[in-house]
Amino acid sequence: MLTTSLDQLDQRLKTINSFSHNGLGQNRLVYTPSWIAGQKQLINWGLSIGLAPTVDDYGTVYLDVLGTETPNQIIATGSHMDTVAQGGRFDGLYGVIGGLQSIETLLNAFGRPKKTLRLISFSEEEGSRFPTTFSGSKHYARIEETVGLTDKSGISFDTARIRAVSRLEASSVNRSLPSLPLTFTELHIEQGPRLVAKHQQIGLVTSIVGQRRFTVVINGIANHAGTTPMNRRHDALQSGIQLISRLELLAQSLSPDLTVTVGEFNVEPNTSNVIPGKVSFTIDCRHVDSEILNEFETMIHCEAKLMTRPQLSIRVNRWANSQPVQLDQQLLAQNDHLANQLNLSHVSLASGAGHDSQIMSQVTRTTMIFVPSINGISHAPQEATHLTDLKAGVDLLTASLHQQAY
Amino acid sequence: MLTTSLDQLDQRLKTINSFSHNGLGQNRLVYTPSWIAGQKQLINWGLSIGLAPTVDDYGTVYLDVLGTETPNQIIATGSHMDTVAQGGRFDGLYGVIGGLQSIETLLNAFGRPKKTLRLISFSEEEGSRFPTTFSGSKHYARIEETVGLTDKSGISFDTARIRAVSRLEASSVNRSLPSLPLTFTELHIEQGPRLVAKHQQIGLVTSIVGQRRFTVVINGIANHAGTTPMNRRHDALQSGIQLISRLELLAQSLSPDLTVTVGEFNVEPNTSNVIPGKVSFTIDCRHVDSEILNEFETMIHCEAKLMTRPQLSIRVNRWANSQPVQLDQQLLAQNDHLANQLNLSHVSLASGAGHDSQIMSQVTRTTMIFVPSINGISHAPQEATHLTDLKAGVDLLTASLHQQAY
């Protein structure tokens, strides 16, 4: 069994995480200085072990070792460099550094592969700086270009992108959009509690949930908190609360696996002695079955309609809709077999989070390997995974890349 | 029947409201230029009809006509000059200008009164610039001095106060803190919908509700909206919603007159794809019976305790507590009698809003006269009262001051 150096894995994660120390947790938002430093460091590590770096127009970094027999057949692995604001140390970065470790281990043990091995560090997946997600993998997969967006401080996506990419250019770095791979394997933390709950080291991902996001805006009438009798109010906050409570119950009855989250809730005028005249809130709902999502979406509209009154309007707007995705069954079966050989406890499961694999699966055979998240926490500074589990994931990836590329 | 000039009343209100045109609605915050212009204009109107102006250290303006028989016995009327931000044209100002109209009408009809008549324009009641309310009437009533406060831009209360008061000084203006009156009658808009709903022109105020305000802080655990199963969440927002729903039901069962308002609601991190880790919200509750308020306060604590779990803490903090106040029954009975004589439809009711009368009633016999608010709207630019109702209120005040001072 080929095993990765736990020390080196740990050190490399720490090095890149050390670039992002502005405040709480990791803040490696796309095209910011800490993100540039991260991609640069990765290129240097790649160069140091003989990988050929390429950067595309979106700042995604590709590190290739050319295959000896069929160099045009590419076996790819990787994940994304960016984090959410106040994010954790592993979301995205683990799949990038883990992939680097696997390829280095294989090169040290076996020399160059028959097929080309490629590590990919996608520029952006989280959507935490610009109102878009997966812009890196969408660009690579030729699915969608990102245009006309600005961040909160008014900087355009293109301005930030062009400036950041120019910082990654060097004589040792190719500038192009590489061809698509034969397969893509993404190593990632689970970001949920199921592997820990089931005492499993590895999760093999069957599918990625579909996801829809809505904004609900309720307009009532702002009024004096003392002089307006309870039965004469058009309180937007109380209506919002009723609607949310009702939708929670309906979601439970629809499917226990349907996740529904009201993550954002804003009130106007938001003053203790004024009855709220307006609230707006988001609904994020996810399920592997788009029929369930359709049904829930209908429920949102019906309940909103039922609550509408002359003095109280409710508007529902869907602004994100990604379809559920099935990942490759054959690659999963191979990884299942390898995990047995490596004596790693494992289970198959659906991913509740979106991943670059969601995009890659539309253009190539794609699989994902999960490792456990302590307490199921992610997108938060407390995000953590035991080092032994981090190592187990990399070792399975190494075995998988070996099987595919050698 | 002595009636006021509707034209002059309307013109005077318009004149002072025209000083405050910076943005939406009225913004006559204490000690700002539009507030200074308002108090100055009032002094000039007072001088023009022979009233003697006094200004105290807080900028409250007193306009006196000395009594011919017992000048030390003072019959006072008035309200406050300041508004909330984006406030209406009548809250406070109507009681000031209405009082001026009444006194002018009486002087024109009967000459000087036996007792001294005093119009008071309190400096500040709303608490919209500095974190204090009723600072004008509290100073006059010798109940409490305002110290150590600053506004949002860091200007101290004392700096703003001293600068503004100096602008009101003139050789024709006394500078002192006048003695307290025998009675205080405050004319005010209702700021609620009850008079309109009951088709009444006049409200005679029996009492002012007690008021308590709380902040509730719920700490759960922020987590990923996609990967955290519904039954493993510690969602601060959902807990907040449950608590608020529960308290609404309990409040209804306790008393239909108990008003409960959640006016402010803040979420962290307030992002659509993150389960809220923290929410904080305010509860404003009011009732004329402090026993009901005690019971509701106990309920808040009990319900919060019931919902507390190892991963979900709930903290309740009371930061405002004003006792219910009974206004003078004899003055109310007199006004009731006068309203009958004047053929004005009227009803007795409690005030859900705080008023300077709340402070004045602690040091002198105090009563309030309400006129209807169209649609019950107040603390908003849409605040309005029909001119005929404005006139009816002034006419009743005139009759009341006549009865008391002549």
Side-chain angles (χ1 to χ4, degrees), chain B residues 328-343:
Chain B
D328 192 82
Q329 293 184 358
Q330 198 185 325
L331 286 173
L332 186 145
Q334 285 172 15
N335 286 341
D336 188 287
H337 187 70
L338 291 169
N340 283 333
Q341 283 186 340
L342 296 177
N343 229 345

Side-chain angles (χ1 to χ4, degrees), chain A residues 10 13 17 24-28 79-95 125-126 187-193 196 353-355 371-387 390, chain B residues 221-225 227-228 273-274:
Chain A
D10 190 34
L13 288 166
N17 282 323
L24 196 65
Q26 295 299 314
N27 295 277
R28 204 162 51 244
S79 190
H80 57 95
M81 179 55 75
D82 71 320
T83 68
V84 297
Q86 301 187 359
R89 294 171 295 142
F90 302 106
D91 180 1
L93 187 62
Y94 169 57
E125 186 256 11
E126 299 285 4
L187 179 65
H188 209 282
I189 55 168
E190 182 201 347
Q191 309 184 269
V196 168
H355 292 289
V371 295
S373 293
I374 296 172
N375 295 323
I377 295 174
S378 184
H379 283 187
Q382 299 87 340
E383 180 183 274
T385 296
H386 292 297
L387 279 172
L390 290 175
Chain B
I221 295 177
N223 212 336
H224 194 293
T227 57
T228 317
N273 60 348
V274 179

Side-chain angles (χ1 to χ4, degrees), chain A residues 191 193 213 223 226-227 229-230 232-233 238 241 245 248 260-266 270-272 276 352-353 376 378, chain B residues 191 193 213 223-224 226-227 230 232-233 238 241 245 248 258 260-266 270-272 276 352-353 376:
Chain A
Q191 309 184 269
R213 293 197 207 166
N223 212 336
T227 57
M230 296 305 281
R232 295 183 67 96
R233 297 180 172 210
Q238 292 293 341
I241 281 177
S245 303
E248 279 283 305
V260 176
T261 305
V262 175
E264 204 180 316
F265 192 100
N266 300 300
N270 212 30
T271 302
S272 65
S378 184
Chain B
Q191 308 185 268
R213 293 197 206 165
N223 212 336
H224 194 293
T227 57
M230 295 306 281
R232 293 183 68 95
R233 296 180 173 210
Q238 292 294 341
I241 281 178
S245 303
E248 278 282 304
L258 176 64
V260 176
T261 305
V262 175
E264 205 180 317
F265 192 99
N266 300 300
N270 210 32
T271 303
S272 65

